């Protein structure tokens, strides 16, 4: 068994304005089932503060999940199930969510990785609404050092919701630097 603990601090802007601040604690355990197959269980606690028009996001979220990862040479293939329980100031945002995700990752060169990921998430909201969200992502990662990575990601989302304001399709592009402590 391999056990990990991590802390994450995030501050997000939306159109240049403060959107949310998040503090997260993650506990994870991993077990090698065969030379190329790994099982993982994870729990994450999120304490979230929403700003201004997004103050309804203030609250807590619990996430628990299990996954299997197959690693062969430069290829990684994974599948994951996750449940999330969110309790926010705005009940219309509080939900229980079930997620199923699959990904394929390929290393190339000494420092590069490309990742393709698909996911499907079903949400039941405390106010009796529901939604189904499908996402497709492509990410490119450049290892900068043993602890630091540069990540460029494009995600397409199709969200089919009971409430028209949450029914959307869109693209998200992000560029970030990640550190492993």
């Amino acid at each position: 068994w391999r056990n990990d603990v991590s802390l994450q601090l995030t501050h997000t802007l939306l159109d240049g304005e403060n959107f949310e601040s998040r503090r997260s604690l993650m506990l994870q355990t991993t077990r090698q089932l065969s030379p190329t197959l790994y099982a993982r269980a994870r729990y994450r606690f999120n304490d979230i503060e929403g700003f201004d028009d997004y103050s309804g996001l203030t609250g807590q979220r619990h996430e628990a999940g299990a996954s299997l990862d197959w690693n062969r040479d430069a290829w990684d293939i994974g599948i994951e199930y996750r449940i999330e329980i969110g309790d926010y100031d705005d009940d219309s945002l509080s939900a229980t969510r079930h997620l199923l995700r699959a990904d394929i990752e390929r290393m190339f060169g000494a420092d590069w990785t490309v990742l393709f990921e698909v996911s499907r998430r079903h949400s039941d909201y405390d106010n009796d609404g529901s939604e189904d969200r499908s996402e497709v992502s492509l990410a490119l990662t450049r290892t900068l050092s043993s602890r630091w990575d540069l990540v460029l990601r494009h995600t397409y989302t199709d969200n089919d919701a009971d409430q028209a304001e949450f029914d959307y399709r869109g693209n998200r592009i992000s560029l970030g630097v990640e550190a492993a402590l």
Side-chain angles (χ1 to χ4, degrees):
W1 292 95
R2 179 179 154 207
N3 300 299
D4 299 299
V5 176
S6 69
L7 295 171
Q8 182 179 22
L9 304 173
T10 307
H11 185 86
T12 305
L13 302 175
L14 184 62
D15 288 332
E17 301 293 324
N18 288 326
F19 175 65
E20 73 175 16
S21 177
R22 183 180 306 201
R23 292 147 305 279
S24 301
L25 169 67
M26 194 248 325
L27 308 171
Q28 175 176 282
T29 188
T30 305
R31 171 88 180 187
Q32 186 173 1
L33 303 176
S34 76
T36 59
L37 185 65
Y38 298 84
R40 181 178 65 224
R42 177 184 291 170
Y43 170 76
R44 184 186 315 251
F45 172 76
N46 297 280
D47 181 44
I48 303 166
E49 179 183 359
F51 295 104
D52 301 324
D53 291 340
Y54 307 101
S55 63
L57 292 172
T58 299
Q60 299 176 343
R61 181 171 69 224
H62 301 270
E63 303 170 21
S67 65
L68 287 174
D69 293 301
W70 180 71
N71 309 108
R72 177 100 174 146
D73 299 322
W75 291 92
D76 293 332
I77 298 172
I79 188 165
E80 174 188 21
Y81 168 77
R82 185 183 326 148
I83 184 170
E84 301 175 7
I85 300 170
D87 183 20
Y88 306 109
D89 286 355
D90 184 344
D91 284 340
S92 69
L93 301 175
S94 297
T96 299
R97 295 187 164 120
H98 301 273
L99 174 99
L100 187 58
R101 178 192 60 79
D103 65 65
I104 298 173
E105 187 174 43
R106 171 86 163 119
M107 295 175 61
F108 60 97
D111 301 322
W112 293 92
T113 304
V114 65
L115 169 74
F116 176 73
E117 180 179 71
V118 295
S119 65
R120 178 78 170 176
R121 184 183 78 181
H122 175 76
S123 302
D124 288 313
Y125 288 89
D126 288 357
N127 68 348
D128 296 327
S130 69
E131 67 183 5
D132 291 300
R133 182 174 83 181
S134 300
E135 286 192 332
V136 178
S137 296
L138 185 62
L140 183 63
T141 301
R142 168 80 160 103
T143 300
L144 302 174
S145 72
S146 62
R147 293 186 179 207
W148 293 92
D149 291 328
L150 179 66
V151 181
L152 174 64
R153 177 184 293 264
H154 174 260
T155 302
Y156 171 76
T157 303
D158 182 358
N159 200 67
D160 181 22
D162 292 342
Q163 297 181 21
E165 65 204 89
F166 298 115
D167 194 75
Y168 63 89
R169 290 186 181 122
N171 292 286
R172 182 176 63 241
I173 298 173
S174 62
L175 176 64
V177 177
E178 296 179 356
L181 302 176

